[in-house]
Amino acid sequence: MHTRVLKRITSVSALLLIVLLAAGFIGLSVGATDGGLQTVFRFFTDTAPDNPTMETIVWHLRLPRVLTAVLVGAALSVGGLVFQALLRNPLAEPYILGISGGAAVGAIIGILLGLSRFPAVSLFAFVGSMGTLIIILAVSSQQTILKNDSLLLAGVIVNAFCSAGIMFLISLTRVARLHNIMFWLMGDLSTADFQQAVVLAVTTIPCFVVIFWLSHAMNLLLAGREMALSMGLNAQTVIVTLLVVTSFMISSAVCQCGLLGFVGLVIPHILRLLIGPDHRVLVPACLLGGGAYMVICDVLARTIPREGELPTGVVTALIGAPVFIMLLRRTRR
Amino acid sequence: MRSAIVVRNLFFSYGSKPVLNGLCFNIDRGCFFIIIGPNGSGKTTLMNLLCGITKPEKGEIDLLGQPQKKYSRTVLARTVALVPQRIRLDFPFTVQEVVLMGRTPHLGMLGLERSEDLRLARQTMEFTEVHHLAHRTIEQLSGGELQRVSIARAICQQPRIILLDEPTASLDLAHQIRIMDLMERLKQEQGITVVMVSHDINLASMYADCLLMLKQGQIVRTGAPARVITCETIEAVYGCPVLVERSSLDASPKITLIPGKHITKDTHC
C-alpha cells in the first residue's frame, strides 16, 4: 500500500534532515567567539559547563538565530516552490515577483505607525504581499500567466514600485531608526531571539502542513488548470488557498527577517534537479533543504567580514542572482 | 440503447462572440462519435463543456442519464476523461508519473497510489504501447508518444466516456492510424464511449459510428458518415468543392480535395 511515493518522501526527508542537523550544528558552533564547538559537544556529552559566557552565546544568541534561519529558509523555499508550480514558471520567486517587497512596504508602514511587531506589523505585511500578488496576477494574466517575460516584467515593475515606496517611507522617519530599517531590509537575522522564533514557528508551520496537503494538487496544476479540473481537482479553491497561505507565510518571514532574496529560487531548482518534480517529495525536501541553506548563508554572513557581520540577504543574493541568470538562459533556449 | 451524452439547447459565448448556438444532440453509449468542422466552429469549446471544464451559458448536458450539474468534481472525473490537443507539462515528470496522475479521482488528497493503481497504470501503458518509456521524462518523447501517454493517463481515470480533442493533429500517418485503432479497441473491449474532435474527414469517416458536423457553433448535420459527408455539406461548411467517393475498403465516404486547375463550372455540387 502507498509504498512508492511514501518511501521516497521518507528517504529524501531523512537525508535532508541529516543535512539540516549538520547545518544547525555548524550554526551553533561557528561565530565571532571561539569555543562554540566545545560548548555544543559538552551539551551532548552531559558534562558540566565551564564557560558561562560561551553557554549564553550558544544557547541564547545562536540557537534562536539558527531556529529563525531554519524557519525563514524553509518558508522562502517552499514559497518559491508554490509560486513556480502555480505560475508554471521555474523563475517565479517571492523576491523576484515583488511579493517580499510588498510585504516589506506593509511592514514598514506598520513600524512607522509605531505598532507592535506581532501581530499588527505582520498583518500589514500580509496585506502588502497580497496586494502585490494581486497586481502581478492582474498585470500578467491578461492573456496568460505562463508567459515568462510578462511575469518577470510584472515582477520588476512591482519591485521598483515597492523600493520607491520603501525609500519614501524611510525618508519620512527619523535618522536614529534608519540604520535598523536598512539592515532589516537587506535581510537580517542578527536580532533573532526566542520570541521571534516562536512567532515564526506558529505562523509558518501550519502553512507548511496545508501546502504539503495540497502538494499532489500542485502536480496536477502543472498540467494546467483545465487538465487539473478534468482530473477531478477543485482547481479554483486549491489555487486561492495556496496563494493566500503562501503570501501569509512569506509576509511572516519578511516581517521577522526582511528581504532575503533568491532563496526560493536556488533551493527548489537544485532539489528538482536532484529528486524530480513530484511536489509530494519536493515540499518536505524544500522545507528541510531551505532551512539548512539559510543556516549556512547566515554562518557565512557572520564569519566572512573580519569585524561585525553582513546582512544575510547580501549572501543569499550573491549566491542566488547568478543562479537566476543561469536559469533564465536555460529557459530561453 | 440509452444515451451516454444528451445535449439540449446548448449556448456558449466568449464575451459577445457566440461560439455555440443552441446545440441539441445525443451520443449513444459505446459509440465512436466524431465531431468535424472547420477551425473556429466551436469544437474545442464543446469538448470543454462536455467534460465540465467550462460551464454552459444556457442549456443542459446529461451524462449517463444524469444532469452534469449534479456530478461532483471527483465523480465527474471518474465518468468523463479528456485528452487535450496537447498536454503541456514544463516540468520533467516521468511517463509513469503522468499516467498515475489519471488515478487522482480514485485516490485521496495526496494521490498516494496503491499497488493496484500501479498495476492499472502499467496495464494501460501496455495498452497504449508506452510501457517501455515508463521511466523516461516526458520532454524526451516524440509527439506521437506523448499523445499515447496522455491517452493512457485519461484511461487511468477509468471513465465511461473519453473525450479527445484532435488527437491525431500534427502526427505522421502511422501514429494517426495507431491512435484511431486504440480508440476503436477501447470502444470494443471496454465499451467506453469515445467522443473525438477530428480535422481529418477521411479518417473520421472510416472509424465513426456517428458523425456531427459543426459550423459556426451550429449543427449542420449529424448521423452515419454516409449521411453527413456529401459534397454538398462539405462545400457548404468548408467552402471548397470536393470529390466524394466510396472507399474501396469499407464503402465509407472518402473525400478528395480538388486542385484549382481541375475546377470547372460543373465541379460544384
Side-chain angles (χ1 to χ4, degrees), chain A residues 239-286:
Chain A
I239 291 173
V240 172
T241 311
L242 279 172
L243 287 177
V244 172
V245 165
T246 309
S247 298
F248 179 74
M249 188 174 75
I250 298 296
S251 60
S252 179
V254 169
C255 244
Q256 304 300 326
C257 302
L259 298 177
L260 294 154
F262 302 101
V263 182
L265 187 84
V266 174
I267 294 303
H269 176 60
I270 293 172
L271 289 174
R272 206 179 282 121
L273 279 182
L274 291 176
I275 60 181
D278 188 340
H279 283 82
R280 291 169 293 184
V281 190
L282 273 178
V283 169
C286 278

Side-chain angles (χ1 to χ4, degrees), chain A residues 175-196:
Chain A
V175 187
R177 278 160 140 184
L178 202 66
H179 179 76
N180 273 344
I181 291 185
M182 288 304 279
F183 221 75
W184 169 77
L185 267 181
M186 294 299 293
D188 180 25
L189 291 166
S190 63
T191 56
D193 53 28
F194 272 117
Q195 198 202 339
Q196 201 176 331

Side-chain angles (χ1 to χ4, degrees), chain A residues 1-6 8-9 84-85 88-90 146 212-217 219-220 222-235 238 272 276-280, chain B residues 48 51-54 73-74 76-77 80-84 87-94 96-98 100-102 104-105 108-116 118 150 153 157:
Chain A
M1 292 283 280
H2 305 329
T3 45
R4 208 183 51 100
V5 178
L6 273 187
R8 290 211 61 202
I9 296 175
Q84 284 150 28
R88 293 163 81 186
N89 188 328
L146 313 178
F212 179 65
W213 181 243
L214 296 175
S215 57
H216 182 58
N219 286 343
L220 301 181
L222 284 178
R225 205 183 69 90
E226 283 83 11
M227 282 316 293
L229 276 170
S230 84
M231 288 186 270
L233 188 77
N234 281 313
V238 169
R272 206 179 282 121
D278 188 340
H279 283 82
R280 291 169 293 184
Chain B
N48 288 347
C51 80
I53 288 178
T54 31
R73 210 21 94 197
T74 316
L76 190 61
V80 190
L82 174 74
V83 177
I87 191 158
R88 236 198 71 137
L89 262 164
D90 291 334
F91 292 75
F93 284 98
T94 64
Q96 183 171 294
E97 284 172 327
V98 172
L100 274 169
M101 281 183 190
T104 305
M109 197 60 204
L110 279 176
L112 298 174
E113 69 271 3
R114 298 151 298 183
S115 44
E116 58 256 43
L118 204 58
S150 181
R153 184 203 52 77
Q157 283 177 235

Side-chain angles (χ1 to χ4, degrees), chain A residues 13-179:
Chain A
S13 301
L15 199 71
L16 283 164
L17 187 65
I18 295 171
V19 174
L20 178 65
L21 290 177
F25 183 75
I26 296 171
L28 288 178
S29 314
V30 179
T33 327
D34 290 330
L37 200 60
Q38 290 92 310
T39 312
V40 176
F41 266 128
R42 206 163 288 126
F43 177 77
F44 288 109
T45 50
D46 236 12
T47 41
D50 63 342
N51 185 346
T53 324
M54 208 53 223
E55 290 289 319
T56 314
I57 289 178
V58 169
W59 303 119
H60 293 277
L61 291 176
R62 287 187 194 161
L63 181 62
R65 188 166 177 163
V66 166
L67 289 176
T68 305
V70 169
L71 288 165
V72 168
L76 294 176
S77 304
V78 173
L81 187 69
V82 173
F83 285 129
Q84 284 150 28
L86 290 185
L87 302 170
R88 293 163 81 186
N89 188 328
L91 295 171
E93 201 259 359
Y95 180 77
I96 296 165
L97 293 178
I99 290 156
S100 299
V105 173
I108 290 182
I109 293 174
I111 293 169
L112 290 183
L113 289 174
L115 301 169
S116 65
R117 201 164 218 200
F118 186 82
V121 172
S122 302
L123 202 66
F124 271 74
F126 175 57
V127 172
S129 68
M130 278 308 289
T132 47
L133 183 63
I134 290 165
I135 292 171
I136 286 165
L137 292 180
V139 169
S140 57
S141 73
Q142 281 304 324
Q143 287 121 19
T144 157
I145 47 173
L146 313 178
K147 284 195 182 135
N148 245 339
D149 297 335
S150 69
L151 183 71
L152 291 179
L153 209 55
V156 168
I157 294 158
V158 170
N159 250 331
F161 184 77
C162 288
S163 308
I166 290 167
M167 288 326 267
F168 176 72
L169 289 169
I170 287 178
S171 73
L172 297 179
T173 189
R174 267 173 285 125
V175 187
R177 278 160 140 184
L178 202 66
H179 179 76

